[in-house]
Amino acid sequence: MVVAIDGPAGAGKSTVARAVAERLGFAYLDTGAMYRAVAVAVLARGGPPAARARELEVVGAARYLVGGHDVTAGIRSPEAAAEASRIATDQSLRDALVERQRAVLATGDWVAEGRDIGTVVVPDAALKVYLVASPEERAARRARELGTDPQTVLADQTLRDEQDRRREHSPLRAAEDAVELDTTGLTIDEVVEEVVVLTGEPHG
Ligand code: DC
């Protein structure tokens, strides 16, 4: 079974997806981290993103190697986020990563988060959730996490969302059968509870 969680930057996808996975005893897949890891490698060494993607190794739950180099420490920086959004417009990169994501998600129970899980990666996911929140609240959350200024985060986030929504291939959008959840003003626990209930799993 796959629970797909999509939405724009800072909507709470990672925190919520991780907590839902833990509650249900499912594994958790962070597809944004895969784009970010490739982005760090492209910034460091250049080359076509799809070629770097073929060198990507995910070790355990959260370590990322590209061509044998551990890029994990760099993936959360604003530069990695901006570059990930830029290279994510490249269809051959997306093909390479989506193929790997589908292979992983084909076995076992997963909560997977990203931008195109419900629309492209797993269109027959058992549950699709599309998380949204006001731009100001999303920026404030990210700024707290990064310890930086909300105005700068808001400017970067607006650019990235525009790029993710407007791209030709797999743009950020809710699947038609996704449940849209506005997390503005909600606590993480409230959102997690709502998603767990939506899965219909008994042990939530
Ligand atoms: O979720 P995130 O902020 O870690 O994602 C970083 C960037 O990667 C995001 O701006 C667009 C891209 N991305 C994507 O195109 N498709 C995904 N499934 C996940 C992320």
Side-chain angles (χ1 to χ4, degrees), residues 120-176:
V120 175
V121 181
V122 194
D124 62 347
L127 172 67
K128 301 176 187 180
V129 176
Y130 192 79
L131 288 186
V132 295
S134 74
E136 292 73 20
E137 176 146 341
R138 292 190 284 119
R141 290 174 186 165
R142 268 281 152 92
R144 273 198 299 274
E145 270 170 32
L146 295 167
T148 50
D149 147 57
Q151 285 313 317
T152 314
V153 176
L154 182 60
D156 288 353
Q157 173 187 281
T158 304
L159 274 177
R160 193 146 71 93
D161 285 348
E162 277 295 290
Q163 187 156 257
D164 293 347
R165 286 198 178 97
R166 290 195 178 177
R167 70 184 176 218
E168 183 186 354
H169 308 293
S170 313
L172 167 65
R173 63 174 179 84
E176 258 166 39

Side-chain angles (χ1 to χ4, degrees), residues 2 15 17-18 38 53 55-56 76-77 82 86 88 92 109 121 125 128 136 146 159 169-170 177-178 182 184 198 203:
V2 174
T15 313
R18 210 175 280 126
V38 173
E55 298 171 351
L56 173 68
R76 297 292 156 203
S77 73
R86 194 187 71 75
S92 50
D109 294 321
V121 181
K128 301 176 187 180
E136 292 73 20
L146 295 167
L159 274 177
H169 308 293
S170 313
D177 52 349
D182 188 338
T184 313
L198 283 169
H203 42 289

